[in-house]
Amino acid sequence: MNTTTKFILKLDREYIIKSAVVASFCIFASASLKMHSEKDEAIKLTQIYKDNFGDFDKVHISTKPSVIAKMISTLKPEFNQGQVNDVAVKISQVFGKYKIEPQIVVAIIDTESDFNHSLVSSTGDVSLAQINAEVWNKEFERMNMELIEKDKLKADEEYSLEVMAQILNILKKRYEKKDRRWYARYHSKTTKHKHGYLSKLERRMKKLEKSQIVAMK
C-alpha cells in the first residue's frame, strides 16, 4: 500500500469519526429541544386555567340513575324526587354509552340551565343542555353527522341529552390529550371564557365531591 493510499484511508477514517460525532450531537440536540418544547407546552396548558380544581372530574363514578339522582339533589335540593329521578334516568340511559364522567355532565347542565329544559338564552341556546343548533350544525355537517333538529331539542329532553353527549364526545376526542379541562370548551373555545366557565363548574364539582357520591358507585 503506497503512501498516497494510506493518507486517503486515514482521511476517510477521520471523516467517518467526525460525521458520527456530528450526527450524535444533532440527535442529542433534537431530543433536548423536543423535551424542552413538551415542557413548555405543559406549562402553557397548566396556565390556561390556573385553578385548584383537583381531580374529582376524573373520578370514575357509576352512571346508575340512583347515583346521578343523588348528584342532582345535591345541587338542586329544592327539586322534588320525581323530577330528579326522571332526569337522572335519561342522563343514565344516554351517557351510559359514552366514556364521560357523570359528574361532568351534571355540573355542566346545572351551570347551563339549572336543569330547566324550557330555558332559551339570548343567543338562541335551548334545552337542558343549552345547545345552539345553528352553531353546532356547521360542525356536524362537516363531520357528516346527522344534523340537530332545533324543535326536537326543545320538545325532547332525552334527545337534547343525546346531542349534548355527542358534542362532549367530539370535544373529548379532539382536545383531551392537550387540554386537561377539555370539557370547559363546551361553553366556549376562547381561553378567557373557558376560565370563567370552569370557575362555575368548579363550585358545583366541590359540592358533589363533598356529598359522598363516590361511596355510592
Side-chain angles (χ1 to χ4, degrees):
M1 186 182 292
N2 59 38
T3 304
T4 302
T5 302
K6 288 180 179 179
F7 179 71
I8 291 172
L9 289 174
K10 181 180 178 182
L11 287 177
D12 286 344
R13 283 196 299 272
E14 289 178 353
Y15 175 77
I16 291 170
I17 292 170
K18 287 179 180 179
S19 296
V21 171
V22 171
S24 298
F25 176 78
C26 289
I27 292 171
F28 174 77
S30 176
S32 297
L33 183 60
K34 183 180 179 182
M35 288 175 64
H36 183 68
S37 251
E38 289 175 349
K39 184 178 179 182
D40 284 348
E41 183 66 13
I43 290 172
K44 289 176 184 176
L45 290 174
T46 301
Q47 290 176 342
I48 287 178
Y49 302 115
K50 297 180 181 177
D51 62 85
N52 297 312
F53 199 94
D55 293 320
F56 182 67
D57 56 332
K58 283 189 170 290
V59 174
H60 295 296
I61 296 176
S62 171
T63 55
K64 291 189 298 186
S66 59
V67 178
I68 294 173
K70 170 69 173 177
M71 292 189 202
I72 298 171
S73 293
T74 298
L75 298 179
K76 288 286 177 282
E78 69 276 15
F79 282 10
N80 67 64
Q81 201 57 47
Q83 183 181 6
V84 169
N85 290 340
D86 181 58
V87 177
V89 167
K90 291 172 182 174
I91 292 174
S92 177
Q93 290 174 342
V94 170
F95 281 89
K97 300 178 289 184
Y98 298 89
K99 293 182 179 179
I100 298 170
E101 302 303 341
Q103 62 271 34
I104 292 175
V105 177
V106 171
I108 287 177
I109 293 174
D110 192 52
T111 301
E112 290 286 340
S113 68
D114 283 327
F115 285 89
N116 177 8
H117 186 69
S118 301
L119 183 67
V120 179
S121 77
S122 58
T123 55
D125 305 340
V126 300
S127 83
L128 283 174
Q130 286 294 282
I131 296 165
N132 190 305
E134 284 75 19
V135 170
W136 274 104
N137 268 339
K138 294 175 184 177
E139 184 64 15
F140 277 38
E141 184 175 15
R142 189 187 71 79
M143 296 179 68
N144 294 318
M145 294 173 64
E146 186 176 343
L147 296 183
I148 302 166
E149 299 177 44
K150 186 172 181 179
D151 290 339
K152 194 172 180 180
L153 279 178
K154 294 178 181 179
D156 189 337
E157 282 188 355
E158 191 167 347
Y159 175 73
S160 72
L161 291 170
E162 176 63 38
V163 175
M164 178 188 185
Q166 291 174 10
I167 292 171
L168 284 173
N169 195 46
I170 291 170
L171 296 175
K172 184 175 184 180
K173 287 182 177 180
R174 188 174 297 172
Y175 299 112
E176 184 182 26
K177 290 184 179 179
K178 60 183 179 181
D179 187 346
R180 173 66 180 80
R181 312 295 182 186
W182 58 271
Y183 47 86
R185 294 172 182 263
Y186 185 82
H187 177 71
S188 174
K189 294 180 180 179
T190 66
T191 299
K192 177 183 176 182
H193 290 120
K194 281 190 296 180
H195 186 279
Y197 190 66
L198 190 66
S199 296
K200 294 177 182 179
L201 294 179
E202 181 182 17
R203 291 197 296 272
R204 290 162 172 84
M205 288 276 195
K206 284 181 177 178
K207 286 184 180 180
L208 295 177
E209 188 174 17
K210 292 176 182 178
S211 65
Q212 299 182 344
I213 290 167
V214 178
M216 297 178 61
K217 69 179 180 177

